Amino acid sequence: MKMSLLWIALTKVKGLGTRKLANLYKSFPNTSFEFLTDPSNFNHIKNCLKSEEIIELVTNRNYLKKEMTRAEEIVNNHKRLGIEIITIDDKLYPINLKSIQDPPIVLYCKGNIELLKQQKSIAIVGTRTPTDMGTRSAKRLSSVFAEMGYTIVSGLALGIDAAAHIGALRIRGNTIAVLAGGLDKVYPKENETLANEIILNRGLLISETPVGGRTFKNSFVLRDRIQSGLSLGVCPVQTDIVGGTQHTIKFAKQQKRLLFCPEPQEKDVKQNRGIIQLIDNKEVEIVQSYDDYQKIEVLLQEVQESLFREEKDHSENSHPKIKKVRNQGLEAELKLTLDKACKLSTQLNIDIEQLKLLLEEQYFSI
């Protein structure tokens, strides 16, 4: 739990925003209290964070201990409300989401947190004021993809989002609702019953906003990046040319997720103008028949494979850096160990040269 407390604590450091924290994690995924407060690592941290004021705080032992104590209180307060906290270094943290440029450092979760492991997810999103045909289309798409084994991600908003969750639930499929505010209050209030139904059916509610945290207009835009980030593909069902759904579409493009949508049957309604524009610009794959679902699945698998390759490349590229930093601290420890071994070698009747080789192999194989 110590590592998780550290990341929660770091989110409270003034000036240390999500992108800088994400850069710290991606540069040093094994970051710990000991790593940050070790003077031999300060230059590496400085190169990563680029701010003297922030570095003074994150490398200060007393300051970090104080913030980690506060973090433990945050964890306990959320647990009392049935909310689990997952940090970016946790094994449960979603692989898809970790790949985006600015992944949330902390996820507040209520419900079946095992769903976070599901890389096979798609986001179904759209306008809060759909047509009846749009609502039916969202439910049908959600049900079919849920039956195909996909977790349905949406934002628990009125309209298409709610229809997407309902479509998954009606066939007992998996669904994740991403909220902009804290999980103690469901917004909009009209969807409180739906939120409870999601939890009762082993679904999941998540947010990057803690209980009691302030919600801004931009919080909903930031929520949209999480919906796309959790998913292999994004399916906007209905949207005008301007609207909240356009933010999720933008993030899907930035995050290299597959964009696909149903063929609009109502050509003359404003709810479909954004979809028609995407189709005219050849920016989306179109779902018209059952065969199209199979085609979309192949394309989603390609996105999944691409994300896997990126994660593998990042892991391989980051290891030399981590090894170098860790070994700097080990050199002094190894020298001290060897000195002690030399003094004891006569008493122990051990060949000191052989012992040196064994110790060097042990330390520098890390």
Side-chain angles (χ1 to χ4, degrees), residues 338 351-363:
L338 288 172
D351 184 341
I352 191 60
E353 292 303 323
Q354 185 179 1
L355 181 59
K356 282 183 180 181
L357 289 173
L358 289 171
L359 287 169
E360 287 173 357
E361 181 180 348
Q362 172 66 28
Y363 276 93

Side-chain angles (χ1 to χ4, degrees), residues 56-120:
E56 285 182 13
L57 293 174
V58 303
T59 58
N60 184 307
R61 296 181 69 89
N62 291 332
Y63 174 81
L64 274 186
K65 283 182 179 178
K66 180 181 175 183
E67 291 302 317
M68 287 175 72
T69 299
R70 287 180 58 196
E72 190 168 12
E73 292 174 3
I74 291 171
V75 171
N76 291 333
N77 289 339
H78 280 79
K79 276 190 174 180
R80 281 193 282 270
L81 296 172
I83 298 169
E84 295 289 333
I85 298 179
I86 304 296
T87 53
I88 196 167
D89 62 327
D90 197 293
K91 290 181 180 179
L92 277 175
Y93 193 94
I95 294 173
N96 294 348
L97 189 58
K98 192 179 288 188
S99 72
I100 71 174
Q101 186 179 22
D102 52 349
I105 303 304
V106 178
L107 291 174
Y108 299 89
C109 308
K110 192 170 187 178
N112 180 16
I113 59 174
E114 291 297 314
L115 289 186
L116 295 175
K117 295 179 181 178
Q118 301 297 322
Q119 194 177 4
K120 195 175 173 181

